[in-house]
């Protein structure tokens, strides 16, 4: 089952859950321009201390903003976690 959460609810949910990061993915079928706009909106509505991690083909290049990490290779997740969260320990 794939449930989509409206973008307008992500920031509220992140605040309610007191998360350290939000990760989103945009498929190749999602318009790149819309993905960039959605990321900018999300970044502006999230608490500035919450990290934003984005992946997917729609954001594979050309997106830069504060507290945003682009990850299009799942093998890079541990590296991003180490950058985002000092003290991150990866279980093997």
């Amino acid at each position: 089952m794939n449930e989509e959460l409206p973008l307008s609810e992500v920031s509220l949910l992140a605040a309610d859950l007191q998360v350290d990061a939000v990760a989103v993915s945009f498929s190749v079928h999602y318009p790149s321009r819309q993905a960039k706009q959605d990321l900018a909106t999300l970044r502006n509505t999230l608490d500035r201390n919450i990290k934003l991690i984005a992946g997917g083909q729609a954001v594979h290049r050309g997106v830069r903003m504060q507290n945003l990490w682009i990850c299009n290779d799942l093998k890079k997740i541990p590296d991003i976690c180490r950058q985002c969260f000092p003290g991150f320990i990866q279980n093997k």
Side-chain angles (χ1 to χ4, degrees):
M1 179 194 276
N2 181 12
E3 295 287 331
E4 290 188 25
L5 182 66
L7 185 66
S8 60
E9 294 182 25
V10 173
S11 296
L12 296 172
L13 184 60
D16 286 347
L17 296 175
Q18 299 178 350
V19 300
D20 294 318
V22 169
V24 294
S25 180
F26 298 93
S27 81
V28 68
H29 302 289
Y30 201 86
S32 184
R33 178 175 288 190
Q34 184 65 50
K36 291 175 186 178
Q37 289 174 349
D38 289 349
L39 281 173
T41 298
L42 187 54
R43 179 67 275 163
N44 288 330
T45 58
L46 281 174
D47 181 286
R48 63 183 177 91
N49 294 315
I50 296 176
K51 284 33 170 208
L52 179 57
I53 303 166
Q57 291 299 310
V59 294
H60 69 281
R61 59 187 144 117
V63 180
R64 293 189 190 348
M65 16 186 126
Q66 185 176 3
N67 271 348
L68 171 68
W69 285 263
I70 301 296
C71 179
N72 285 313
D73 181 350
L74 295 178
K75 293 177 184 175
K76 293 184 179 184
I77 290 175
D79 291 336
I80 290 173
C81 287
R82 280 189 286 278
Q83 291 173 24
C84 291
F85 310 106
F88 171 77
I89 299 172
Q90 178 182 355
N91 293 331
K92 295 197 177 206

